[in-house]
Amino acid sequence: MTKLASVEAYAPASMGNVGIGFDIFGMAFQEPGDTVRVEYSDASGVEIVAITGDGGRLPLAPDKNTASVAVAHYLRMIDSLQGVRLWVNKGLPLASGLGSSAASAVAGVFAVNALFGEPLERKALLAACLEGEAIVSGYHADNVGPSLLGGITLITGTAISDIRHLPVPSDLHCVLVTPHVAVETAAARAVLPQNLPLDHIVRQTGQVARFVDALYRDDLAAVVSAMEADLIAEPARAHLMPHLDEARRIAKRAGALGLVISGAGPTLCALCGGRAEADATRHALDALYQESGIGATSRVTCVDREGARIIRSL
Amino acid sequence: MTKLASVEAYAPASMGNVGIGFDIFGMAFQEPGDTVRVEYSDASGVEIVAITGDGGRLPLAPDKNTASVAVAHYLRMIDSLQGVRLWVNKGLPLASGLGSSAASAVAGVFAVNALFGEPLERKALLAACLEGEAIVSGYHADNVGPSLLGGITLITGTAISDIRHLPVPSDLHCVLVTPHVAVETAAARAVLPQNLPLDHIVRQTGQVARFVDALYRDDLAAVVSAMEADLIAEPARAHLMPHLDEARRIAKRAGALGLVISGAGPTLCALCGGRAEADATRHALDALYQESGIGATSRVTCVDREGARIIRSL
């Protein structure tokens, strides 16, 4: 095998929680995603040469960026003293509930592993990705897991054996709408309830079970109905999401089956059974946020089944 | 069709909660079960002629017995003024966590519906069974559902559409051990926590999802591991179950994959991957309760996939 000089990897956006599954479910989207290019360096350590697509908001300091921290951990994992240089291109909006910090970490680690000739298999990369994510969001795999592995994932811990793929509904189309407001993950976590009454827990666990059952039966209407039944995060965070109730009502009128908050928000994800319904829903939600003066970025996408991937290597 | 004079129905024991699924999962067992015989009466209303197998502990008053209350509701559902007489034979121990009150209600309703020529389909009988169960345990389908319908069920409400069959692991054998101590359902509910901290809820929902996923993958080890991960009922009720920790340890040493409390207890259910392991586990648990001076009734059984059934009609 010829030694590579430059590798660029893509890691997809992802949605933590998936509505009903606070801190246990994740879902990868085909788009948007972050790309990281990696090349060898004569200097030791990890250097970030440039970050594009972030409007100058992200730090170049290698101990402050999730991609470089993750890559540095990867190099320790394989006992390498080789230095590398990173170019990070943010396709993902920051602090939007789409797993931006996770995607950069995953793309960086996936690229450097390919540059080194794939000494580790995909699943073994999780630990390094988690180290990167941890400097921003703590040790949690609900974005790193789906971004690395693709699909819809159940996450019951931080080991690779704690992450399982669940079936992906065949007709599912997603509309991602990111209103132009800031919701910091830390602030969104601060409003969460510290505990829940038993009757709420019974309803929550029942709908979690129904969600998994419906995925296996490919019953998209039941999947989405279960997704919307969350009693943990949405009731606590709804006030942080502008026009949430109206967005849900408008999305359903346009043909969507339902709508949930993506991760900690403010991105909303409308779930549709086909491309036409998704296009109509996107159009209706765009109009809502334009008329309200907030503005929003939107797109139609599907569940990404592949996870991180190499898009260019020289 | 010749009009029947006498019908006897069998309804199986069942386990609420199934460990991890407090108030949302139920499982029917092939044995033990209750039988109810129904015949026409010249008098109006519902009469209980005799109850056997209960040691004289159950009331004959038709408004106090779950079978007669359920049958009376059934007669109202079909607008019948016909009187009926019931003979109830308890195969199930009372207040043991095996759904005794539910099984009598289900057997009574299933028998009378057959006596009348099956004017209602099986699923339509749920409402009447719930009315019977309600006088003892409140409106809840976690025993009535599996006893009527068989299998492993997810219960998210009291309508028939809120009950779903989940896949049954192909190798699962169950050891039911009922120590000779009384645990009243009301007392067992009184010790339940009023609320749970968020980190416990995340762990509970994660294992609920893992349980359903593992059922679909027929991964019995993961099914049982998830069943045992309950943070709601077992920690609160453990002190009501004599020798619970020791029973679990002994069961696993004898080859069981795990052990949970059946419903509100005191019956314990050890989960095994084959008949030989189940027999050895039963033997070991029998010895434990014999040596401790408590004594216990035990049996090996499997999941009942059929639910209530007619065993004799004339």
Side-chain angles (χ1 to χ4, degrees):
Chain A
M1 195 168 77
T2 319
K3 194 173 169 186
L4 296 170
S6 174
V7 172
E8 191 167 6
Y10 174 88
S14 58
M15 165 162 72
N17 302 347
V18 194
I20 188 64
F22 177 71
D23 269 6
I24 64 164
F25 294 134
M27 179 187 283
F29 298 115
Q30 289 176 356
E31 296 177 319
D34 283 358
T35 60
V36 174
R37 176 156 61 96
V38 183
E39 297 183 3
Y40 293 109
S41 169
D42 294 334
S44 66
V46 181
E47 177 196 355
I48 301 182
V49 180
I51 303 177
T52 49
D54 67 328
R57 291 166 63 196
L58 287 176
L60 288 169
D63 61 337
K64 298 230 171 358
N65 187 289
T66 63
S68 42
V69 169
V71 167
H73 188 85
Y74 171 86
L75 295 174
R76 283 194 296 276
M77 281 173 70
I78 63 165
D79 281 324
S80 171
L81 296 174
Q82 171 69 51
V84 295
R85 301 191 298 167
L86 309 185
W87 287 258
V88 177
N89 183 39
K90 297 295 299 180
L92 280 178
L94 309 185
S96 64
L98 285 170
S100 171
S101 54
S104 292
V106 169
V109 171
F110 205 78
V112 73
N113 188 52
L115 183 71
F116 280 57
E118 295 189 23
L120 299 182
E121 61 168 0
R122 178 185 295 260
K123 289 181 171 185
L125 304 179
L126 180 73
C129 299
L130 278 169
E131 289 292 328
E133 172 79 325
I135 64 163
V136 175
S137 307
Y139 287 91
H140 206 284
D142 61 347
N143 288 110
V144 158
S147 186
L148 176 65
L149 305 169
I152 301 175
T153 53
L154 164 63
I155 299 128
T156 54
T158 53
I160 190 71
S161 59
D162 297 325
I163 304 183
R164 289 210 58 83
H165 276 124
L166 297 172
V168 176
S170 36
D171 297 328
L172 178 59
H173 287 66
C174 302
V175 183
L176 302 178
V177 181
T178 308
H180 294 154
V181 295
V183 176
E184 292 296 330
T185 300
R189 286 198 86 90
V191 298
L192 289 171
Q194 292 306 297
N195 48 58
L196 239 65
L198 189 55
D199 63 327
H200 278 49
I201 299 169
V202 170
R203 286 157 63 194
Q204 185 87 15
T205 52
Q207 295 299 322
V208 163
R210 182 174 172 232
F211 174 73
V212 178
D213 173 66
L215 286 178
Y216 272 98
R217 294 184 296 101
D218 202 9
D219 178 347
L220 185 56
V223 165
V224 176
S225 165
M227 283 172 69
E228 282 194 311
D230 172 48
L231 295 172
I232 300 177
E234 185 177 314
R237 289 172 172 170
H239 68 285
L240 299 173
M241 313 295 150
H243 306 298
L244 173 61
D245 291 345
E246 204 175 345
R248 177 171 284 144
R249 200 163 46 240
I250 281 174
K252 288 185 179 179
R253 204 183 304 142
L257 295 165
L259 179 146
V260 297
I261 302 170
S262 179
T267 298
L268 305 179
C269 175
L271 296 314
C272 302
R275 178 78 202 198
E277 294 88 335
D279 287 338
T281 299
R282 179 189 180 190
H283 187 74
L285 290 172
D286 278 345
L288 167 67
Y289 287 103
Q290 196 166 0
E291 283 160 23
S292 71
I294 293 173
T297 307
S298 67
R299 79 174 66 219
V300 171
T301 187
C302 289
V303 174
D304 180 276
R305 294 164 187 261
E306 188 180 355
R309 48 201 176 261
I310 302 304
I311 53 174
R312 207 173 59 102
S313 56
L314 304 170
Chain B
M1 197 167 77
T2 320
K3 195 174 168 186
L4 296 170
S6 175
V7 172
E8 191 167 7
Y10 174 88
S14 58
M15 165 163 72
N17 301 348
V18 194
I20 188 65
F22 177 72
D23 269 6
I24 65 163
F25 294 134
M27 179 187 283
F29 297 115
Q30 289 176 358
E31 295 177 321
D34 283 358
T35 60
V36 174
R37 176 157 61 97
V38 183
E39 296 183 3
Y40 293 108
S41 169
D42 294 334
S44 65
V46 182
E47 177 196 356
I48 301 183
V49 180
I51 303 178
T52 49
D54 68 328
R57 291 167 63 196
L58 287 176
L60 288 170
D63 61 338
K64 299 232 171 356
N65 187 289
T66 62
S68 42
V69 169
V71 168
H73 189 85
Y74 171 86
L75 295 174
R76 283 194 297 276
M77 280 173 71
I78 62 164
D79 281 324
S80 172
L81 297 174
Q82 172 68 50
V84 295
R85 300 192 297 167
L86 310 185
W87 287 258
V88 177
N89 183 41
K90 298 294 300 179
L92 281 178
L94 309 184
S96 65
L98 285 169
S100 171
S101 55
S104 292
V106 169
V109 170
F110 205 77
V112 73
N113 187 54
L115 184 71
F116 281 56
E118 295 189 23
L120 299 182
E121 62 168 358
R122 178 185 294 260
K123 289 182 172 183
L125 303 178
L126 180 73
C129 299
L130 279 169
E131 289 292 329
E133 172 80 323
I135 64 164
V136 175
S137 306
Y139 287 91
H140 205 283
D142 60 349
N143 289 110
V144 158
S147 186
L148 177 65
L149 305 169
I152 301 174
T153 53
L154 164 63
I155 299 128
T156 54
T158 53
I160 190 71
S161 59
D162 297 326
I163 303 182
R164 289 210 58 84
H165 276 124
L166 297 173
V168 176
S170 36
D171 297 328
L172 179 59
H173 287 65
C174 302
V175 183
L176 301 178
V177 181
T178 308
H180 294 155
V181 295
V183 175
E184 291 297 330
T185 301
R189 287 198 86 90
V191 298
L192 289 171
Q194 292 306 297
N195 49 58
L196 239 65
L198 189 56
D199 63 327
H200 278 48
I201 299 169
V202 170
R203 285 156 63 194
Q204 186 86 14
T205 52
Q207 294 299 321
V208 163
R210 182 174 172 233
F211 174 73
V212 178
D213 173 65
L215 286 178
Y216 271 97
R217 293 184 297 102
D218 202 11
D219 179 347
L220 185 56
V223 165
V224 176
S225 165
M227 284 172 69
E228 282 195 310
D230 171 49
L231 295 171
I232 299 177
E234 185 178 313
R237 290 173 171 170
H239 68 284
L240 300 173
M241 313 295 151
H243 306 298
L244 173 61
D245 291 344
E246 205 175 344
R248 176 171 284 145
R249 199 164 47 240
I250 282 174
K252 289 185 179 179
R253 204 184 304 142
L257 295 165
L259 179 146
V260 297
I261 303 170
S262 179
T267 298
L268 305 178
C269 176
L271 297 314
C272 302
R275 178 79 203 198
E277 294 89 335
D279 286 337
T281 300
R282 180 188 179 191
H283 187 75
L285 290 172
D286 278 345
L288 167 67
Y289 286 102
Q290 197 166 359
E291 284 160 22
S292 71
I294 293 173
T297 306
S298 68
R299 79 174 65 220
V300 171
T301 187
C302 289
V303 174
D304 180 276
R305 294 165 187 261
E306 188 180 354
R309 48 199 175 262
I310 302 304
I311 54 174
R312 206 172 61 102
S313 58
L314 305 170

